[in-house]
Amino acid sequence: MSTPFYVSPQQAMADRAEYARKGIARGRSLVVLQYADGIVFVGENPSRALHKFSEIYDRIGFAAAGKYNEYENLRIGGVRYADLRGYTYDRDDVTARGLANVYAQTLGTIFSSAAEKPYEVELVVAEVGETPEGDQIYRLPHDGSIVDEHGSVAVGGNAEQISSYLDQRHQDGMSLAEALKLAVQALSRDTNGTQREIPAERLEVAVLDRTRPQKRKFKRIVGRQLDRLLETDGAATEAESAEEDE
Amino acid sequence: MEANTRSTGRLPAAFLTPGSSSFMDFLSEHQPEMLPGKRQLPPTQGVIEAPHGTTIVAVSFPGGVVLAGDRRATMGNMIAQRDIEKVFPADEYSAVGIAGTAGLAVEMVKLFQLELEHFEKVEGAQLSLEGKANRLSTMIRSNLGMAMQGLAVVPLFAGYDVDRGKGRIFSYDVTGGRSEESGYAATGSGSIFARGAMKKLYRGDLTEDDATTLVIQALYDAADDDSATGGPDVARRIYPIVTVITEDGFRRLTDEESSGIARSILERRLEQPDGPRAALL
């Protein structure tokens, strides 16, 4: 029997991190931004049915970049966790912080367990508050660390570049149309700095809208409403899209 | 058992195992003791005394359906509660009204709402109205053990069928037997009287306003003859809960709206205690 090669823990972890990062970088990046009435999720997604964003619970949304089957698994785990917790205690006892902790523990255990391959995913868990100050956004990289974000966050392969672009331009209290346009600009910049066009039908957009009268604040923005938000500028469109919403 | 949800540890394997889109299926595998139907029952003698809800009525009209309930809960010959709510939204396009043991009924509604929401979130699509009705059937069936001990729950389910473009009503028996009703339906102890009233007043061409008036007339007649059903309580300002489900989704009438209808009915009944008369021939 041959002796196994010695690999230092540092090297083993670095290899695993490298593996996960490469997997995540293969997909397109996505961004999550705060705007005046809530939180908007924007990403490039040619599929109509396989979503990157989804509802977890009343005020909590989920976004993921990376390997579909792995983040879908985590998403369903999160829905089960939230629904069970809400059923056991109360709907108000389901929080983004709690969910993010569970995800962090799950990803962390998988990352550091030698028996499993690390997950090639990066998640965002966001909760819309009663006011912009109450909004919470958590970013969860593949290794189970957890980052509390404000304003804007990008995940995926090109995330660093997009983040710095957003950090310079994102402001508090932007309208939905402004935030959406900023997000699309950020996503359509290539690594070498050139702009490319992302057509509306390749965009997946969803919001957690605190002004929705329902308990469930998550809503997908599709079709005419999306076109109108992308086309025009200023407050007039905002009012129109709100009307259509009703 | 709840350690799994309370701790901040890793999600247990059951959470990440691919499986059904049903919350009830997930619970029955992961924490079966949390399902009402899976509870161990102690041997009991006779009927257990617990508050009961009484009359629920539903009427369909072109474009939608109305589901309404009185507000009284009784325990034996006592009024246990005067303002109980027995009609709930199940999701955007359906509602459920419950007669029977109040405590279990409310729990069942909560689980049913969650079941529909869970499916919607996991699958990214709503169940068909037929699917929702069947799911409720399964839940009642799982409660049969308790029903045999006198803790029965008998719901009435109504919703707007988006695929067919019309309102539909489903009634149930304690064994989970499900039947679709055409036009109108009622459940609970006052249902016999409510059904009689609706039989005489129902027409195929009711408007939404007609339908909401009709259900309150029927509840009035039920309260008139059934001691367990409460009529409009003007002194305490407690009026029936009336919900309307149409293409635009679920809507509960405001207290003002339902009290308005109830008051105008009361006024007419001061002159004509038995309510509107149907033609003899």
Side-chain angles (χ1 to χ4, degrees):
Chain A
M1 231 172 91
S2 58
T3 346
F5 284 111
Y6 172 76
V7 181
S8 73
Q10 286 94 329
Q11 189 57 48
M13 285 305 159
D15 287 351
R16 292 173 75 84
E18 172 79 6
Y19 170 82
R21 262 199 299 270
K22 274 196 177 153
I24 297 164
R26 271 194 285 273
R28 297 253 177 229
S29 304
L30 54 91
V31 297
V32 181
L33 302 180
Q34 277 181 282
Y35 69 99
D37 291 331
I39 296 168
V40 58
F41 302 80
V42 189
E44 188 179 352
N45 185 0
S47 170
R48 298 275 104 195
L50 307 174
H51 297 300
K52 288 171 183 288
F53 313 132
S54 68
E55 171 190 9
I56 296 283
Y57 210 64
D58 297 350
R59 296 181 155 271
I60 305 173
F62 172 96
K67 213 163 176 233
Y68 179 79
N69 71 319
E70 290 177 349
Y71 69 67
E72 176 68 4
N73 205 16
L74 288 168
R75 179 182 78 86
I76 290 172
V79 171
R80 287 173 175 165
Y81 162 85
D83 280 349
L84 179 56
R85 201 175 161 93
Y87 181 63
T88 310
Y89 305 109
D90 185 75
R91 292 195 84 94
D92 287 345
D93 295 316
V94 183
T95 60
R97 194 186 53 83
L99 182 69
N101 272 327
V102 170
Y103 277 145
Q105 292 296 338
T106 306
L107 284 169
T109 322
I110 293 169
F111 182 75
S112 44
S113 133
E116 280 176 277
K117 88 165 195 55
Y119 270 20
E120 299 156 65
V121 295
E122 190 163 11
L123 313 181
V124 175
V125 172
E127 177 176 342
V128 68
E130 297 287 346
T131 58
E133 291 72 44
D135 290 349
Q136 293 170 44
I137 303 176
Y138 299 99
R139 182 166 64 87
L140 296 136
H142 54 84
D143 60 357
S145 49
I146 178 166
V147 192
D148 184 1
E149 303 273 4
H150 292 282
S152 64
V153 51
V155 293
N158 205 9
E160 264 175 50
Q161 199 196 345
I162 297 176
S163 287
S164 64
Y165 182 84
L166 286 175
D167 282 345
Q168 288 161 23
R169 291 165 181 83
H170 180 268
Q171 287 157 358
D172 288 341
M174 290 173 106
S175 75
L176 177 56
E178 286 165 355
L180 179 58
K181 261 179 273 166
L182 173 61
V184 175
Q185 274 164 23
L187 288 172
S188 51
R189 278 166 55 85
D190 274 334
T191 24
N192 54 13
T194 51
Q195 284 293 115
R196 62 196 176 86
E197 190 75 25
I198 305 178
E201 60 273 12
R202 284 180 68 91
L203 281 177
E204 183 180 349
V205 180
V207 289
L208 285 166
D209 180 352
R210 74 178 112 255
T211 61
R212 260 168 93 78
Q214 294 96 320
K215 246 186 329 200
R216 293 164 70 183
K217 308 293 181 194
F218 185 86
K219 182 176 181 287
R220 294 189 189 282
I221 294 187
V222 288
R224 281 196 305 140
Q225 197 188 357
L226 178 58
D227 291 340
R228 219 173 314 167
L229 282 169
L230 285 171
E231 265 164 30
T232 36
D233 42 337
T237 38
E238 272 290 276
E240 267 177 58
S241 66
E243 263 170 44
E244 194 179 303
D245 196 16
E246 291 314 307
Chain B
M1 61 158 201
E2 279 142 25
N4 292 325
T5 49
R6 210 180 296 151
S7 83
T8 49
R10 179 184 176 169
L11 283 171
F15 285 71
L16 298 175
T17 310
S20 131
S21 311
S22 161
F23 183 71
M24 274 155 55
D25 288 358
F26 167 67
L27 261 194
S28 70
E29 266 166 43
H30 182 57
Q31 290 191 12
E33 68 284 357
M34 288 197 68
L35 283 174
K38 295 269 171 68
R39 260 173 227 143
Q40 293 285 321
L41 296 175
T44 49
Q45 298 251 306
V47 171
I48 303 164
E49 280 274 299
H52 270 61
T54 44
T55 310
I56 306 291
V57 294
V59 168
S60 64
F61 61 91
V65 61
V66 172
L67 186 71
D70 75 311
R71 307 292 295 270
R72 182 174 288 179
T74 54
M75 196 158 71
N77 63 345
M78 272 204 327
I79 295 173
Q81 200 183 337
R82 292 178 200 281
D83 61 349
I84 189 174
E85 297 194 4
K86 296 181 268 185
V87 179
F88 305 90
D91 64 0
E92 188 105 25
Y93 289 105
S94 63
V96 58
I98 293 245
T101 315
L104 285 176
V106 171
E107 189 181 4
M108 192 180 279
V109 168
K110 199 173 148 193
L111 191 56
F112 183 56
Q113 289 168 329
L114 192 53
E115 175 77 5
L116 302 186
E117 187 187 321
H118 189 81
F119 183 95
E120 191 189 322
K121 287 191 289 197
V122 170
E123 299 269 321
Q126 287 212 341
L127 270 172
S128 65
L129 192 70
E130 203 84 32
K132 295 174 199 169
N134 284 339
R135 215 56 207 144
L136 190 54
S137 206
T138 312
M139 292 179 65
I140 301 163
R141 209 168 289 131
S142 70
N143 192 50
L144 191 60
M146 282 194 257
M148 301 301 275
Q149 299 200 351
L151 302 176
V153 177
V154 191
L156 199 57
F157 178 64
Y160 182 79
D161 192 326
V162 187
D163 302 320
R164 298 196 194 178
K166 63 170 191 170
R168 298 171 72 187
I169 305 168
F170 297 89
S171 70
Y172 298 84
D173 61 39
V174 280
T175 64
R178 187 206 90 167
S179 57
E180 182 166 1
E181 307 275 350
S182 65
Y184 56 91
T187 184
S189 65
S191 63
I192 323 153
F193 309 108
R195 203 175 293 130
M198 288 191 288
K199 194 176 188 171
K200 297 296 171 216
L201 296 176
Y202 179 77
R203 283 180 285 117
D205 59 348
L206 295 170
T207 64
E208 186 182 317
D209 288 344
D210 292 342
T212 50
T213 310
L214 173 47
V215 289
I216 298 184
Q217 289 279 19
L219 285 173
Y220 187 99
D221 282 326
D224 209 19
D225 287 311
D226 172 40
S227 61
T229 304
D233 190 338
V234 185
R236 295 189 183 82
R237 298 202 177 92
I238 300 169
Y239 299 97
I241 290 177
V242 183
T243 65
V244 183
I245 307 141
T246 61
E247 202 178 7
D248 299 330
F250 173 91
R251 186 173 81 90
R252 180 178 154 171
L253 259 57
T254 61
D255 280 352
E256 263 157 46
E257 287 173 302
S258 58
S259 76
I261 303 170
R263 277 169 180 275
S264 57
I265 288 174
L266 277 174
E267 214 142 282
R268 293 294 295 272
R269 297 253 175 170
L270 290 178
E271 292 152 25
Q272 230 176 21
D274 293 340
R277 300 197 185 282
L280 257 188
L281 258 179

